[in-house]
């Protein structure tokens, strides 16, 4: 199982968490999604392609750095 940790500076609230969690959770291979508002990070576990996780975050309306 792999971990992907991405910085997403636009995370500010619970709505952000819900939108990102829903979008990233649909990526094949993602088994767990954790969004940290304070740290402004998204962490996934599973076998997903990092590019697919980034694309899902973009689709939710947020940018990774």
């Amino acid at each position: 199982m792999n971990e992907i940790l991405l910085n997403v500076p636009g995370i500010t609230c619970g709505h952000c968490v819900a939108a990102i969690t829903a979008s990233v959770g649909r990526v094949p291979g993602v088994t767990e999604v954790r969004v940290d508002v304070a740290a402004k990070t998204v962490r996934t576990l599973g076998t997903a392609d990092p590019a697919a996780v980034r694309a899902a975050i973009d689709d939710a309306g947020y940018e990774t750095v």
Side-chain angles (χ1 to χ4, degrees):
M1 193 172 293
N2 297 323
E3 178 181 71
I4 300 169
L5 181 63
L6 299 168
N7 292 315
V8 184
I11 299 171
T12 60
C13 64
H15 177 272
C16 301
V17 172
I20 292 170
T21 300
S23 186
V24 173
R26 290 189 294 267
V27 174
V30 170
T31 59
E32 183 179 331
V33 180
R34 291 199 180 170
V35 181
D36 185 328
V37 175
K40 299 191 181 299
T41 59
V42 175
R43 177 181 163 266
T44 67
L45 294 176
T47 58
D49 176 11
V53 173
R54 281 193 166 95
I57 293 170
D58 288 343
D59 288 347
Y62 301 89
E63 286 187 42
T64 59
V65 293

